[in-house]
Each structure stands twice: as C-alpha cells, then as structure tokens.
Amino acid sequence: MLDIEHLSVRFGGASEAVSDISLSVGEKEKVVLVGETGSGKSVLLLAILQMLPASASVSGRALLDGTDLLTLSPKEMNRVRGERISYVPQGSGNGMNPLLPVGYQVGEPLMIHQNLSKKEALARAVAALRRFDFGQEEKLARQYPHTLSGGMRQRAMIAMGVAQGAPLLFADEPTKGLDGHRIELVVDAFRRLEDQAILCVTHDLRFAQEVAQQMAVLYASQQVEWCSKEAFFREPLHPYSQAMLAALPENGLQAETGFAPPREDSQLAGACRYYRRCPWKRSRCRENPPFFPVGDGRKVRCWNYGS
C-alpha cells in the first residue's frame, strides 16, 4: 500500500531532520515508529502528507499504491488527504476547534471530500463515534470539545480520522499527555481499526506493544532497526533499541547514557550516529553503517551485523 523509499528532509542549511528512511505499510498492516523526541518521526509523517513548511527540502519517494505522493500538486494531494489517508495529529485531542460541536468536526471532512450534506455528515459522524463506544453518541455529537476529557477528545479525533473510510491512517503520538486509564481507551480504539492500515508515531513502548505488527526505530533522524513487534520485544538488535527496553520499569529502569536523547553536538562527523553513546563501538563505527538485512525481513543499522 505505502512504500517509503530513501526519504530525507532538510530545513534550510540545517542538518537532516529525516535521513534516508525506507519502510512499507501493507494493506491493513499496523506499523509503529518509536524513538526519542527529535528523532524525525513526526516530520516523516508530515513530509509524506506534504504538510511541511516551504523551507523544507524533501527527497526520496512515498508511493501510495504506486503513485508518488511527493510529486502530486496541492490540489491532488488535498484529495489524497481524507480520501486515501487520514491524519490524527498529536495533542490529546487539543487540535479540535473549541467553537464547533464534536459531531460537526467529525463530519466536516465528509462534507469537504464526499460532498455530503450537513445532515448526512452528522449521521455518519455519530456512526463513527459509536464505533468507539462513547455512549449517548447523539448527545456527544452536540457537545463542545471542552466538555470531553482528554481521552474522549483523542478518541473523537480518531473517529474523525476513520469516518471517511480512508484505508490508511496516520497517527502522531495518540497517547501523549494521557493517564493510564485514558491510554487504555485509546488502545481499545486502535484495536477496533481492523480494516485500516496504520502508520503511528509514539514514544510509548507499551502502546506500541499493544498496537503494532511491525516496528521501526529512529535515532537522530535515521532508521536504526526494522522488525516485527514480537522480534523487537523479544530480542532487539540495535544497542539503542536495547537501551529503550532496558529503561522500562519492568526491566529495572536501567536508563544508561545510551538512552539519552540525540544531540547534534554528541555525534562524530561521518560516524554512526550512536557512536559516542554506544557500548559496542569500535574503529569501524567511525563510518556510518548501512541498513543491513539480518534475515526474516529484519534490518539493523549497525556494523555488528554486517561486514
């Protein structure tokens, strides 16, 4: 369905915010991107959607059913956004307009992209809300966002994303700022999306474990690991992936220096971007490694798995 090939993003003369990312999302497949803040996860989504500012320079390809989205005109891309790809931004549902009822906002894309009447769109919006078991959905559709909890607003944003029936959903940090109970509600909402492919950004490994089928790990704008969810949580290969899992409470909160957020001044020019923090580093690591295939569809950017 979606094939991202060597996609990179640069802002002005700054270093790359996204560097040579390649991954795919199959039909009805759930792919989750994990990594620290600043690793390029959200920028990747916005680049594919052509929602970055004019200062951004994007290279590579993002093929949706064979069509390169990066070559489409703004008018063509506007049709893709909504009809083919839905987008749920981060912010615990705070992206909702406080002046408009929830039902109107969930149904508005249907009026824009499918030319439905306000009445028809509202009926579809109520049906979308009902998929997530809010209760009293007709009443909820008439309420304003400030009357909903953060978890309810986030689920309403997801309902907005699925109301149009787009086969691919992009979600950016859907659990950010939510407590444990509300995170469970969002997890349940994603579990209900069996017929949609999902490309989701998160720093919440517990959420990823519940939702993902495939995992991509980003560090300092580069993809450093690609594998199934089961492989990631059973036996992560990259030292950064291992550090993330070691830092989980059930693993003893073993947050070492290798888990620190990436900083440009911590990197050695031309070297592996994890070089200064890596417990495995050797002389070969002063050269940035390629993305090595390691069997069963896995890939890892580390010289320990290549020649």
Side-chain angles (χ1 to χ4, degrees):
M1 172 175 275
L2 178 67
D3 293 293
I4 301 167
E5 299 178 352
H6 306 292
L7 196 148
S8 297
V9 179
R10 185 184 297 274
F11 293 95
S15 59
E16 288 180 324
V18 171
S19 180
D20 192 28
I21 302 293
S22 294
L23 56 86
S24 62
V25 184
E27 185 177 354
K28 299 183 182 180
E29 189 174 35
K30 320 311 185 200
V31 176
V32 173
L33 309 178
V34 297
E36 282 298 294
T37 298
S39 59
K41 306 183 302 298
S42 298
V43 174
L44 176 65
L45 295 190
L46 295 175
I48 297 168
L49 293 170
Q50 289 195 28
M51 293 174 63
L52 291 175
S55 61
S57 174
V58 182
S59 61
R61 301 201 300 173
L63 303 172
L64 181 64
D65 294 329
T67 299
D68 188 358
L69 300 180
L70 303 183
T71 66
L72 297 184
S73 68
K75 183 177 180 179
E76 291 171 324
M77 195 62 211
N78 189 53
R79 190 159 53 245
V80 169
R81 293 191 296 260
E83 292 182 8
R84 301 291 297 154
I85 303 177
S86 297
Y87 173 58
V88 179
Q90 65 174 274
S92 303
N94 293 329
M96 300 190 78
N97 189 326
L99 303 179
L100 296 173
V102 171
Y104 180 89
Q105 295 189 62
V106 173
E108 184 179 25
L110 296 167
M111 292 184 273
I112 296 172
H113 294 287
Q114 298 185 18
N115 296 317
L116 296 188
S117 67
K118 184 177 179 180
K119 182 178 180 180
E120 291 171 326
L122 181 59
R124 289 271 294 275
V126 170
L129 292 169
R130 195 170 284 129
R131 289 183 63 182
F132 302 108
D133 288 339
F134 282 92
Q136 298 184 306
E137 287 82 9
E138 291 85 355
K139 178 181 177 181
L140 175 67
R142 297 191 295 271
Q143 293 178 222
Y144 288 84
H146 74 274
T147 66
L148 278 61
S149 69
M152 292 179 73
R153 287 196 301 271
Q154 189 62 37
R155 285 189 291 153
M157 291 288 289
I158 298 170
M160 188 188 308
V162 304
Q164 302 166 78
L168 177 59
L169 174 69
F170 284 5
D172 191 353
E173 299 281 12
T175 61
K176 186 175 183 178
L178 300 180
D179 61 29
H181 172 66
R182 292 181 173 88
I183 289 174
E184 282 301 316
L185 295 175
V186 174
V187 167
D188 180 67
F190 272 81
R191 285 175 177 157
R192 295 167 184 261
L193 304 179
E194 296 178 354
D195 295 330
Q196 283 189 290
I198 297 174
L199 181 59
C200 178
V201 161
T202 187
H203 64 274
D204 184 344
L205 292 182
R206 287 287 142 255
F207 175 78
Q209 189 171 31
E210 294 288 346
V211 172
Q213 293 173 323
Q214 293 291 120
M215 303 265 298
V217 182
L218 273 63
Y219 180 82
S221 83
Q222 282 191 332
Q223 186 178 358
V224 296
E225 189 158 354
W226 169 261
C227 59
S228 69
K229 172 187 70 177
E230 291 78 13
F232 177 84
F233 285 97
R234 182 182 64 250
E235 187 182 8
L237 298 183
H238 196 277
Y240 177 61
S241 302
Q242 294 180 5
M244 281 198 293
L245 283 183
L248 291 175
E250 59 266 37
N251 294 327
L253 295 172
Q254 301 173 53
E256 301 175 356
T257 56
F259 187 56
R263 298 194 319 271
E264 189 172 342
D265 62 1
S266 72
Q267 297 166 19
L268 184 67
C272 170
R273 298 191 182 184
Y274 200 59
Y275 179 82
R276 291 196 186 276
R277 298 188 171 107
C278 184
W280 302 348
K281 61 178 174 284
R282 48 197 173 96
S283 59
R284 184 65 187 271
C285 301
R286 288 178 173 270
E287 178 185 351
N288 195 27
F291 212 25
F292 292 109
V294 290
D296 296 327
R298 298 190 73 170
K299 291 185 177 181
V300 61
R301 194 181 297 275
C302 179
W303 285 116
N304 279 337
Y305 302 96
S307 55

